Amino acid sequence: MFGFLKKLFGSEDSERLVEVINNGATLIDVRSKGEFASGSVKNAVNIPLNEISSKVKSLKNKENIVVFCRSGMRSKQAQSILKQAGITNVFNGGSLQNMKNITR
């Protein structure tokens, strides 16, 4: 069951995430502006999920993108939106807590 939940809400392989983050990936917190104001991870920018489609053009030139949110649900949606727009180098970081653990 955990494997199913990880696939549904979880993040990419942690080792791969660490690699792309250490190589300067753009970190995008897709939570609301209010949630972001309460804290995020270092170097993250806030692009709420409902604004992600309007930012596609500015994200196309990024080498790697890692999206994350509170639980991993919105980040999965953001990843899908970006991939459908032709951005293939986007990774789902999952939850904020997962990203905090990875970026320590």
Side-chain angles (χ1 to χ4, degrees):
M1 175 141 172
F2 179 73
F4 169 75
L5 291 174
K6 185 174 179 183
K7 283 186 181 244
L8 184 61
F9 300 112
S11 64
E12 305 288 336
D13 175 52
S14 291
E15 290 178 19
R16 180 70 174 133
L17 276 175
V18 170
E19 180 184 337
V20 296
I21 290 168
N22 287 341
N23 287 324
T26 299
L27 306 180
I28 302 176
D29 186 332
V30 298
R31 297 176 302 148
S32 71
K33 292 183 187 309
E35 288 172 300
F36 183 77
S38 70
S40 191
V41 296
K42 186 179 179 183
N43 298 323
V45 296
N46 182 224
I47 304 175
L49 178 61
N50 65 340
E51 297 177 16
I52 204 85
S53 293
S54 67
K55 303 293 184 182
V56 167
K57 190 173 183 180
S58 66
L59 296 173
K60 285 202 179 220
N61 65 342
K62 303 295 182 188
E63 186 174 342
N64 286 305
I65 299 168
V66 177
V67 292
F68 63 96
C69 63
R70 185 181 57 78
S71 68
M73 188 77 151
R74 287 175 280 181
S75 60
K76 187 73 172 168
Q77 292 173 328
Q79 180 186 36
S80 178
I81 290 166
L82 293 174
K83 283 188 172 189
Q84 287 177 0
I87 300 174
T88 58
N89 55 335
V90 59
F91 300 87
N92 181 9
S95 69
L96 173 60
Q97 188 59 53
N98 185 56
M99 289 295 292
K100 285 181 177 181
N101 292 340
I102 288 174
T103 59
R104 285 185 208 207

